[in-house]
Amino acid sequence: MRKIVVQMSVSLDGFFEGPGGDIGWHQVDEELHQHFNDVIAPMGGFLSGRVSHELMAAYWPTADQDPTASGPEREFARIWRDMPKFVYSRTLDHADWNATVVREVDVEQVRRLTAEPGGDLALGGADLAATFARHDLIDEYRIYVHPVLVGRGRRLFPEADAPTGLRLVESRVFGNGVVLLRHERVR
């Protein structure tokens, strides 16, 4: 059974983006980017919302052609282009780059997708993650805590009516001070 894995960066005070959508405080160096590549490459697909997909599609399809791109950036461009993508959107009619547009989060459809063979599914985008969490569809959280206090912006985790049990399965400190906290759902 494939798992649905949320992989997001946050500030120490819990924001995934600062005011105005600012993510310039993310501290992704070559070590961290290579780690991202290593964990994403064997996955079976990306699940994202329209905004996340459009941000990625605006840069990654040709990033490996940029002579100033680092080795991990060139590698990720190839990973991103080739990976199947499921874009959740009520407004998009079509999405490029090996993407399928899905109108709604249908629990049974998601369960069928996780029952298919292949690698785990990377879930990106805070709004989509909140929807998946409400339907109890997230199996694992890989949260990368950046050593910065943003002060305000958009929090990764919305308010919830009940606690969600998690079990720490990995932690790691990167050279730039970013800390990975990897938790699995307690079922």
Side-chain angles (χ1 to χ4, degrees):
M1 196 74 146
R2 302 198 287 184
K3 294 187 294 185
I4 294 178
V5 179
V6 171
Q7 185 166 317
M8 296 281 292
S9 289
V10 298
S11 62
L12 184 60
D13 50 353
F15 297 99
F16 73 92
E17 64 182 23
D22 177 36
I23 60 170
W25 50 268
H26 285 196
Q27 299 178 21
V28 181
D29 60 9
E30 285 200 30
E31 176 195 20
L32 184 56
H33 205 294
Q34 187 59 56
H35 165 80
F36 291 157
N37 292 353
D38 294 345
V39 298
I40 290 173
M43 290 194 161
F46 291 113
L47 307 171
S48 62
R50 177 191 56 81
V51 172
S52 294
H53 177 75
E54 288 177 341
L55 287 170
M56 299 294 280
Y59 179 73
W60 289 110
T62 59
D64 56 343
Q65 297 167 20
D66 180 348
T68 65
S70 69
E73 287 173 320
R74 288 191 302 276
E75 179 184 358
F76 184 77
R78 291 186 293 274
I79 292 168
W80 189 86
R81 265 195 316 266
D82 294 343
M83 185 81 62
K85 296 162 205 64
F86 300 89
V87 181
Y88 288 83
S89 173
R90 293 183 194 104
T91 58
L92 280 182
D93 291 323
H94 174 76
D96 291 323
W97 305 107
N98 199 15
T100 302
V101 176
V102 182
R103 295 284 171 226
E104 300 284 337
V105 176
D106 177 314
V107 173
E108 291 309 313
Q109 181 184 39
V110 172
R111 288 194 176 125
R112 283 191 301 273
L113 187 61
T114 59
E116 292 177 5
D120 293 339
L121 302 167
L123 176 61
D127 293 336
L128 187 61
T131 300
F132 271 65
R134 273 195 309 275
H135 291 296
D136 196 26
L137 294 169
I138 298 173
D139 301 297
E140 184 176 308
Y141 292 87
R142 292 180 188 166
I143 306 302
Y144 295 85
V145 182
H146 292 249
V148 62
L149 298 172
V150 174
R152 57 180 195 191
R154 291 186 62 202
R155 293 199 179 275
L156 176 57
F157 296 104
E159 292 183 11
D161 294 327
T164 300
L166 302 171
R167 180 174 59 88
L168 180 67
V169 294
E170 179 185 5
S171 64
R172 176 177 172 182
V173 179
F174 294 89
N176 63 4
V178 172
V179 176
L180 162 63
L181 298 173
R182 183 173 156 228
H183 289 83
E184 290 181 345
R185 256 312 247 122
V186 174
R187 301 230 183 245

